[in-house]
Amino acid sequence: MFDLLFQPFQIGSLKLKNRLCISAMETCYCDIDGKVTPRYIAYMEARAKGGWGLITTELTAISIQGRAFFNCLGLWDDAHIEGNKKLVDTIHKNGAKICIQLGHGGRQTGKLEAEGEPVAPSSLPDPTRANKPEDVPRELTVKEIKRIIDDFAQAARRAKAAGYDAIEIHGAHGYLIQQFLSPFSNKRTDEYGGSLRNRARFALEVIAAIRQQVGPDYPLIYRISTTEMMDGARLNIGDTRAFCLMLEEAGIDAINASVGSHATKGFFPVCPNAIPRAYNIDYAEEIKKVVSIPVIGNGRINDPYIAESILRSGKVDLIAMGRSSLADPELPKKVKEGRIDEINYCVGCMQGCIGNLKRGCKPIQCLVNPILGQESEYTWRPANASKKVAVIGGGIAGMGAAIAAARRGHRVTLYEKSSKLGGQWLLAAVGPFKQECTTLTVWQKSQLQKLGVEIHLNTEIREDTIEAGYFDTIIIATGAVPLIPAIPGVDLPHVTTAAEILGLRINPGKRVVVVGGGQVGAETAAFLASQDKDVTILEMMDNILREGEPGVNYYLKKSLDENGVTQLVKAKVLRIEEHTVFYEQEGEIKTITEVDNVVIAVGSRSANQLGEKLKGMAQKVVMVGDAIQPGKGLDAYAEGFRAGYYA
């Protein structure tokens, strides 16, 4: 079935064992001085063991001034070579090839990261930054441009000395090289601005300088944004096709074709699950039509069948997966061995990868893979002694605890009071664009079965149903229940909860009011509107969707708007009557009439009553996830998993 995925391939002089690549992704696992750490090596080693043909490092800074993130990989000093060589040797030892991505942040860095004044082709602030005065870049002089070109060349020299198999030049996503190429960010009037040839000059001079350092046969890959997907003056596919002819003529051995910049509306190039999988491939095909060198395709490809179908279409030559390799580093190995059902798929939630980077350059995490970034800690060594472990609650935190404990060799019993496993996560998968979320619970259930976990559904645990001392460890993962506010009329028959709507337990009427405009309320409203309901959101704060991931919220808000959901903010519900909702907005009492159903979605409270009651019933009693405090799935699963691993 997957003949092309596992067909050997060659980029210039570089021979790959298959066509599966890992895209460059920032991790913040290196140290503040840009040096390789054991954590970063362990992270990369896990992916080399997983069977990938080519692994690309994160964006590696060629200078401190060009550093786009804190704790990113650096190659601006010869002192960096030794650590990079250890990384390269580790990857080679495990049968993969490794490429280093070199780049400069330009205006997509700030004064703190650059340890000085940011620079760019033109003195235009980056739309993605806070635009503090100190972060507005200064226009580069020609002399400074030449120095940065030499910085690229010297970093390339170090990369070759460290043993890297290839270099990828980062000319995409709004970083410095794309800033020169794009009329959106380049307003220069000298030889580096204006015409396409002039705007391409910086990139071509970088390539020439690197080629002089590494020699004619060293593989060079160019990461490009085929289009910036913006209105007005911007990089478009027409210019890019022509530019790729220049790249081939300049000696580039392969083109990694992406889209967008971090200033593109819609959160390209790293997209949430609202964006179709393989969204970028048709743009990549446009490049393949005009060049004779290999083209790498990418863009939310998280399924091996999709990857194989793309190769069979002939639109690209290799497949690059980023977040899929975070979710399951062994994806190629599992596909090759026919273990498709064991793949842990990326669900496009953006919580721990892009979300962590946006929250102050925190080390990345993965919701579906709690081991990410902690590969040295979670080694799956057998526990010193097999214990009897009870897990109470079958949501993603409880199932994660049971899986981790069983893999360590413990005898695990899982209790769930409802008729199915999955908890609140099943409801999360009902909202717009989130159907892929079910792949996590499907994977977890298959793992529980494979590991022989004893499962009791429709079983509610009380303090008198567990024999004291029978279990060595009890993990309480009872989750959360909807918070019901003290609103007069909230107990009327036509008032329900978001959980009942998303659980498809109630078929609401035509006209629905949703009380609460947070993540759950907005998703419930969008779901109802997609079912041709007339929906109004009442939110007492001054805006909806105050929390959550910006990329996810962007498309959720777009869905609300496109489906005609009325969104009323600063609106406090006063009381609910049979067909009327009374609310106060800016001092005025208003009503919504002819209401068929009212949905309460104002938050959750922990279902933690068992915590105190089960104290002393086992040597170790641990509470995890929403049972402690309602929060993100990322945190709940990680807590449950950790409790199970150290049961």
Side-chain angles (χ1 to χ4, degrees):
M1 169 56 71
F2 301 104
D3 296 339
L4 291 185
L5 281 181
F6 294 99
Q7 185 180 74
F9 197 82
Q10 193 154 336
I11 297 175
S13 61
L14 176 60
K15 296 179 180 179
L16 304 177
K17 64 182 179 182
N18 60 45
R19 300 195 193 196
L20 286 164
C21 311
I22 294 180
S23 304
M25 292 171 291
E26 209 62 37
T27 64
C28 293
Y29 293 162
C30 296
D31 73 14
I32 194 65
D33 297 319
K35 292 183 178 178
V36 175
T37 61
R39 183 181 191 182
Y40 189 69
I41 290 176
Y43 153 76
M44 296 285 275
E45 181 181 21
R47 278 129 197 95
K49 290 178 178 178
W52 301 88
L54 180 65
I55 301 172
T56 303
T57 70
E58 62 187 43
L59 172 59
T60 304
I62 60 163
S63 65
I64 293 178
Q65 185 188 46
R67 184 172 61 178
F69 299 90
F70 292 114
N71 297 94
C72 70
L73 191 60
L75 208 53
W76 62 75
D77 192 291
D78 285 358
H80 289 129
I81 295 174
E82 182 180 356
N84 279 271
K85 189 175 188 308
K86 289 180 181 178
L87 171 61
V88 169
D89 291 345
T90 300
I91 300 305
H92 287 167
K93 183 178 67 176
N94 288 285
K97 302 295 185 182
I98 182 167
C99 170
I100 187 167
Q101 185 185 77
L102 299 180
H104 187 297
R107 71 178 190 173
Q108 283 190 177
T109 188
K111 183 177 181 180
L112 290 177
E113 294 95 326
E115 296 186 9
E117 191 175 27
V119 294
S122 302
S123 184
L124 291 172
D126 184 75
T128 65
R129 299 195 65 85
N131 293 333
K132 298 176 184 177
E134 62 267 26
D135 286 341
V136 175
R138 176 177 52 77
E139 182 174 303
L140 286 161
T141 66
V142 171
K143 183 178 180 180
E144 289 171 326
I145 290 172
K146 300 300 184 184
R147 191 200 71 229
I148 291 175
I149 291 170
D150 186 62
D151 287 340
F152 270 100
Q154 295 307 314
R157 171 184 61 80
R158 297 179 188 109
K160 185 176 182 181
Y164 283 101
D165 300 296
I167 290 171
E168 181 173 88
I169 301 167
H170 199 346
H173 306 163
Y175 292 103
L176 183 64
I177 297 180
Q178 183 174 322
Q179 289 165 29
F180 271 93
L181 186 64
S182 170
F184 172 67
S185 47
N186 186 347
K187 306 299 180 182
R188 298 179 73 95
T189 57
D190 61 6
E191 66 268 35
Y192 289 97
S195 69
L196 174 62
R197 182 67 183 177
N198 280 355
R199 287 184 280 114
R201 188 181 305 277
F202 178 69
L204 298 176
E205 289 182 354
V206 166
I207 294 167
I210 288 176
R211 183 58 79 190
Q212 187 174 9
Q213 287 291 329
V214 300
D217 298 324
Y218 190 84
L220 296 183
I221 302 169
Y222 193 95
R223 184 83 185 259
I224 192 169
S225 286
T226 56
T227 171
E228 287 181 307
M229 305 179 77
M230 296 176 180
D231 296 328
R234 82 284 190 208
L235 190 64
N236 59 49
I237 191 66
D239 281 357
T240 305
R241 280 193 296 254
F243 175 60
C244 286
L245 294 180
M246 301 179 200
L247 292 178
E248 184 172 15
E249 184 181 42
I252 288 295
D253 296 293
I255 295 172
N256 189 352
S258 186
V259 297
S261 79
H262 292 292
T264 304
K265 290 183 179 179
F267 294 86
F268 294 94
V270 184
C271 302
N273 45 28
I275 296 299
R277 289 178 285 187
Y279 63 86
N280 180 35
I281 295 303
D282 288 344
Y283 289 109
E285 182 187 19
E286 290 299 304
I287 304 307
K288 185 166 172 57
K289 287 177 182 178
V290 299
V291 298
S292 59
I293 55 178
V295 174
I296 304 169
N298 54 68
R300 224 173 82 73
I301 302 170
N302 64 353
D303 184 287
Y305 286 95
I306 291 177
E308 177 73 17
S309 71
I310 292 168
L311 292 180
R312 292 191 186 192
S313 75
K315 294 184 176 183
V316 299
D317 301 291
L318 299 103
I319 299 294
M321 298 182 181
R323 288 177 291 170
S324 290
S325 72
L326 304 182
D328 195 333
E330 295 185 343
L331 186 148
K333 183 178 179 181
K334 290 177 180 178
V335 174
K336 190 172 185 179
E337 295 174 357
R339 297 187 288 131
I340 303 295
D341 291 342
E342 294 184 28
I343 295 173
N344 197 6
Y345 292 95
C346 168
V347 298
C349 69
M350 303 184 78
Q351 287 188 20
C353 47
I354 297 302
N356 276 17
L357 292 179
K358 297 295 185 183
R359 287 185 285 272
C361 290
K362 291 176 59 180
I364 65 169
Q365 298 171 272
C366 178
L367 189 153
V368 305
N369 178 18
I371 295 175
L372 178 66
Q374 301 179 82
E375 288 83 2
S376 294
E377 178 180 357
Y378 294 126
T379 60
W380 296 120
R381 64 187 184 280
N384 294 330
S386 179
K387 298 178 181 178
K388 288 189 291 186
V389 178
V391 177
I392 304 172
I396 60 171
M399 286 196 284
I403 290 166
R407 282 195 64 177
R408 293 290 307 280
H410 299 304
R411 291 166 289 166
V412 183
T413 305
L414 174 62
Y415 299 96
E416 167 55 41
K417 70 176 182 179
S418 73
S419 61
K420 60 178 68 173
L421 297 172
Q424 299 294 315
W425 195 251
L426 299 181
L427 307 180
V430 177
F433 321 120
K434 297 182 70 176
Q435 286 70 33
E436 289 178 62
C437 289
T438 59
T439 59
L440 172 57
T441 50
V442 169
W443 178 83
Q444 286 184 314
K445 286 186 281 188
S446 71
Q447 289 294 299
L448 293 174
Q449 183 177 13
K450 178 182 176 183
L451 293 165
V453 173
E454 184 180 332
I455 299 172
H456 296 272
L457 299 177
N458 300 305
T459 304
E460 184 171 3
I461 297 299
R462 302 184 303 274
E463 66 269 28
D464 59 349
T465 57
I466 286 188
E467 179 184 345
Y470 180 79
F471 290 104
D472 300 297
T473 300
I474 298 174
I475 299 172
I476 301 171
T478 44
V481 295
L483 182 65
I484 307 299
I487 299 172
V490 77
D491 56 349
L492 288 172
H494 71 300
V495 180
T496 185
T497 65
E500 291 176 306
I501 295 294
L502 296 175
L504 308 182
R505 298 194 290 272
I506 287 179
N507 184 21
K510 177 68 175 177
R511 189 164 168 79
V512 183
V513 172
V514 176
V515 180
Q519 194 84 32
V520 175
E523 288 183 2
T524 304
F527 166 69
L528 289 169
S530 72
Q531 304 299 309
D532 199 29
K533 308 297 182 184
D534 180 358
V535 186
T536 298
I537 294 176
L538 294 176
E539 168 56 49
M540 66 186 301
M541 304 299 286
D542 57 2
N543 63 296
I544 69 167
L545 290 170
R546 300 177 306 281
E547 300 176 349
E549 303 308 322
V552 174
N553 288 349
Y554 176 89
Y555 288 99
L556 180 52
K557 182 67 166 62
K558 187 177 180 183
S559 176
L560 294 173
D561 295 340
E562 290 177 350
N563 284 288
V565 174
T566 302
Q567 302 157 54
L568 302 178
V569 297
K570 298 180 181 178
K572 180 181 179 181
V573 178
L574 300 176
R575 69 180 187 276
I576 302 169
E577 294 185 356
E578 186 174 357
H579 293 294
T580 306
V581 175
F582 294 79
Y583 66 97
E584 181 181 356
Q585 189 178 45
E586 296 184 345
E588 183 180 351
I589 296 177
K590 302 179 180 181
T591 61
I592 303 174
T593 59
E594 300 180 14
V595 175
D596 296 309
N597 285 95
V598 178
V599 181
I600 304 299
V602 297
S604 303
R605 60 177 178 81
S606 297
N608 55 13
Q609 300 89 337
L610 280 177
E612 285 295 323
K613 295 176 180 178
L614 295 184
K615 274 187 177 180
M617 301 291 281
Q619 294 177 9
K620 189 175 185 180
V621 178
V622 185
M623 191 176 295
V624 299
D626 287 356
I628 301 174
Q629 181 177 342
K632 295 182 178 181
L634 171 75
D635 299 323
Y637 189 8
E639 288 174 13
F641 180 88
R642 186 172 187 84
Y645 189 89
Y646 291 108

